[in-house]
PDB file of all heavy atoms in Angstrom:
ATOM      1  N   HIS A  60     -37.050 -57.338 138.475  1.00  0.00           N
ATOM      2  CA  HIS A  60     -38.019 -56.577 137.692  1.00  0.00           C
ATOM      3  C   HIS A  60     -38.860 -57.490 136.838  1.00  0.00           C
ATOM      4  O   HIS A  60     -40.099 -57.454 136.843  1.00  0.00           O
ATOM      5  CB  HIS A  60     -37.397 -55.493 136.920  1.00  0.00           C
ATOM      6  CG  HIS A  60     -38.381 -54.615 136.271  1.00  0.00           C
ATOM      7  ND1 HIS A  60     -38.588 -54.535 134.964  1.00  0.00           N
ATOM      8  CD2 HIS A  60     -39.191 -53.620 136.818  1.00  0.00           C
ATOM      9  CE1 HIS A  60     -39.507 -53.646 134.692  1.00  0.00           C
ATOM     10  NE2 HIS A  60     -39.920 -53.097 135.800  1.00  0.00           N
ATOM     11  N   ALA A  61     -38.216 -58.364 136.112  1.00  0.00           N
ATOM     12  CA  ALA A  61     -38.874 -59.362 135.268  1.00  0.00           C
ATOM     13  C   ALA A  61     -39.844 -60.370 136.039  1.00  0.00           C
ATOM     14  O   ALA A  61     -40.921 -60.643 135.664  1.00  0.00           O
ATOM     15  CB  ALA A  61     -37.930 -60.170 134.431  1.00  0.00           C
ATOM     16  N   LEU A  62     -39.368 -60.776 137.188  1.00  0.00           N
ATOM     17  CA  LEU A  62     -40.141 -61.692 138.063  1.00  0.00           C
ATOM     18  C   LEU A  62     -41.381 -60.982 138.515  1.00  0.00           C
ATOM     19  O   LEU A  62     -42.509 -61.537 138.469  1.00  0.00           O
ATOM     20  CB  LEU A  62     -39.275 -62.217 139.161  1.00  0.00           C
ATOM     21  CG  LEU A  62     -39.941 -63.250 140.070  1.00  0.00           C
ATOM     22  CD1 LEU A  62     -40.408 -64.421 139.322  1.00  0.00           C
ATOM     23  CD2 LEU A  62     -38.966 -63.602 141.228  1.00  0.00           C
ATOM     24  N   ALA A  63     -41.245 -59.745 138.942  1.00  0.00           N
ATOM     25  CA  ALA A  63     -42.337 -58.938 139.448  1.00  0.00           C
ATOM     26  C   ALA A  63     -43.428 -58.705 138.333  1.00  0.00           C
ATOM     27  O   ALA A  63     -44.573 -58.857 138.560  1.00  0.00           O
ATOM     28  CB  ALA A  63     -41.828 -57.619 139.985  1.00  0.00           C
ATOM     29  N   ARG A  64     -42.894 -58.435 137.157  1.00  0.00           N
ATOM     30  CA  ARG A  64     -43.866 -58.204 136.062  1.00  0.00           C
ATOM     31  C   ARG A  64     -44.536 -59.544 135.617  1.00  0.00           C
ATOM     32  O   ARG A  64     -45.726 -59.540 135.309  1.00  0.00           O
ATOM     33  CB  ARG A  64     -43.058 -57.643 134.853  1.00  0.00           C
ATOM     34  CG  ARG A  64     -42.740 -56.188 135.042  1.00  0.00           C
ATOM     35  CD  ARG A  64     -42.232 -55.481 133.883  1.00  0.00           C
ATOM     36  NE  ARG A  64     -43.326 -55.430 132.886  1.00  0.00           N
ATOM     37  CZ  ARG A  64     -43.313 -54.936 131.732  1.00  0.00           C
ATOM     38  NH1 ARG A  64     -42.158 -54.437 131.293  1.00  0.00           N
ATOM     39  NH2 ARG A  64     -44.377 -54.849 130.920  1.00  0.00           N
ATOM     40  N   GLY A  65     -43.743 -60.661 135.745  1.00  0.00           N
ATOM     41  CA  GLY A  65     -44.327 -61.909 135.399  1.00  0.00           C
ATOM     42  C   GLY A  65     -45.468 -62.357 136.286  1.00  0.00           C
ATOM     43  O   GLY A  65     -46.283 -63.150 135.827  1.00  0.00           O
ATOM     44  N   VAL A  66     -45.395 -61.933 137.465  1.00  0.00           N
ATOM     45  CA  VAL A  66     -46.469 -62.296 138.452  1.00  0.00           C
ATOM     46  C   VAL A  66     -47.421 -61.168 138.711  1.00  0.00           C
ATOM     47  O   VAL A  66     -48.164 -61.163 139.743  1.00  0.00           O
ATOM     48  CB  VAL A  66     -45.918 -62.947 139.710  1.00  0.00           C
ATOM     49  CG1 VAL A  66     -45.233 -64.204 139.448  1.00  0.00           C
ATOM     50  CG2 VAL A  66     -45.040 -62.014 140.516  1.00  0.00           C
ATOM     51  N   ARG A  67     -47.244 -60.162 137.979  1.00  0.00           N
ATOM     52  CA  ARG A  67     -48.165 -58.927 137.988  1.00  0.00           C
ATOM     53  C   ARG A  67     -48.078 -58.225 139.421  1.00  0.00           C
ATOM     54  O   ARG A  67     -49.055 -57.932 140.010  1.00  0.00           O
ATOM     55  CB  ARG A  67     -49.539 -59.241 137.624  1.00  0.00           C
ATOM     56  CG  ARG A  67     -49.734 -59.713 136.157  1.00  0.00           C
ATOM     57  CD  ARG A  67     -51.137 -59.941 135.868  1.00  0.00           C
ATOM     58  NE  ARG A  67     -51.283 -60.361 134.510  1.00  0.00           N
ATOM     59  CZ  ARG A  67     -51.516 -61.572 134.088  1.00  0.00           C
ATOM     60  NH1 ARG A  67     -51.628 -62.602 134.909  1.00  0.00           N
ATOM     61  NH2 ARG A  67     -51.615 -61.802 132.761  1.00  0.00           N
ATOM     62  N   CYS A  68     -46.846 -58.050 139.791  1.00  0.00           N
ATOM     63  CA  CYS A  68     -46.628 -57.360 141.075  1.00  0.00           C
ATOM     64  C   CYS A  68     -45.846 -56.010 140.824  1.00  0.00           C
ATOM     65  O   CYS A  68     -45.331 -55.853 139.714  1.00  0.00           O
ATOM     66  CB  CYS A  68     -45.744 -58.211 142.034  1.00  0.00           C
ATOM     67  SG  CYS A  68     -46.645 -59.522 142.749  1.00  0.00           S
ATOM     68  N   GLY A  69     -45.868 -55.232 141.867  1.00  0.00           N
ATOM     69  CA  GLY A  69     -45.089 -53.964 141.771  1.00  0.00           C
ATOM     70  C   GLY A  69     -43.596 -54.181 141.926  1.00  0.00           C
ATOM     71  O   GLY A  69     -43.181 -55.230 142.441  1.00  0.00           O
ATOM     72  N   PHE A  70     -42.786 -53.259 141.496  1.00  0.00           N
ATOM     73  CA  PHE A  70     -41.332 -53.348 141.694  1.00  0.00           C
ATOM     74  C   PHE A  70     -40.801 -52.006 142.055  1.00  0.00           C
ATOM     75  O   PHE A  70     -41.060 -50.999 141.404  1.00  0.00           O
ATOM     76  CB  PHE A  70     -40.700 -53.772 140.299  1.00  0.00           C
ATOM     77  CG  PHE A  70     -39.210 -53.791 140.372  1.00  0.00           C
ATOM     78  CD1 PHE A  70     -38.543 -54.816 140.972  1.00  0.00           C
ATOM     79  CD2 PHE A  70     -38.463 -52.800 139.864  1.00  0.00           C
ATOM     80  CE1 PHE A  70     -37.121 -54.788 140.987  1.00  0.00           C
ATOM     81  CE2 PHE A  70     -37.154 -52.793 139.860  1.00  0.00           C
ATOM     82  CZ  PHE A  70     -36.479 -53.775 140.472  1.00  0.00           C
ATOM     83  N   GLN A  71     -40.010 -52.013 143.088  1.00  0.00           N
ATOM     84  CA  GLN A  71     -39.247 -50.809 143.457  1.00  0.00           C
ATOM     85  C   GLN A  71     -37.894 -51.266 143.873  1.00  0.00           C
ATOM     86  O   GLN A  71     -37.719 -52.323 144.533  1.00  0.00           O
ATOM     87  CB  GLN A  71     -39.934 -50.027 144.663  1.00  0.00           C
ATOM     88  CG  GLN A  71     -41.186 -49.435 144.240  1.00  0.00           C
ATOM     89  CD  GLN A  71     -41.843 -48.607 145.392  1.00  0.00           C
ATOM     90  OE1 GLN A  71     -41.592 -48.934 146.575  1.00  0.00           O
ATOM     91  NE2 GLN A  71     -42.612 -47.600 145.071  1.00  0.00           N
ATOM     92  N   ARG A  72     -36.843 -50.428 143.549  1.00  0.00           N
ATOM     93  CA  ARG A  72     -35.532 -50.796 143.835  1.00  0.00           C
ATOM     94  C   ARG A  72     -34.966 -49.888 144.948  1.00  0.00           C
ATOM     95  O   ARG A  72     -35.163 -48.625 144.875  1.00  0.00           O
ATOM     96  CB  ARG A  72     -34.584 -50.639 142.599  1.00  0.00           C
ATOM     97  CG  ARG A  72     -33.258 -50.976 142.788  1.00  0.00           C
ATOM     98  CD  ARG A  72     -32.522 -50.938 141.423  1.00  0.00           C
ATOM     99  NE  ARG A  72     -31.153 -51.313 141.596  1.00  0.00           N
ATOM    100  CZ  ARG A  72     -30.176 -50.528 141.637  1.00  0.00           C
ATOM    101  NH1 ARG A  72     -30.327 -49.237 141.582  1.00  0.00           N
ATOM    102  NH2 ARG A  72     -28.924 -50.961 141.746  1.00  0.00           N
TER     103      ARG A  72
END
Side-chain angles (χ1 to χ4, degrees):
H60 188 249
L62 184 58
R64 288 190 67 179
V66 295
R67 296 185 178 103
C68 288
F70 173 81
Q71 291 183 332
R72 181 174 182 261

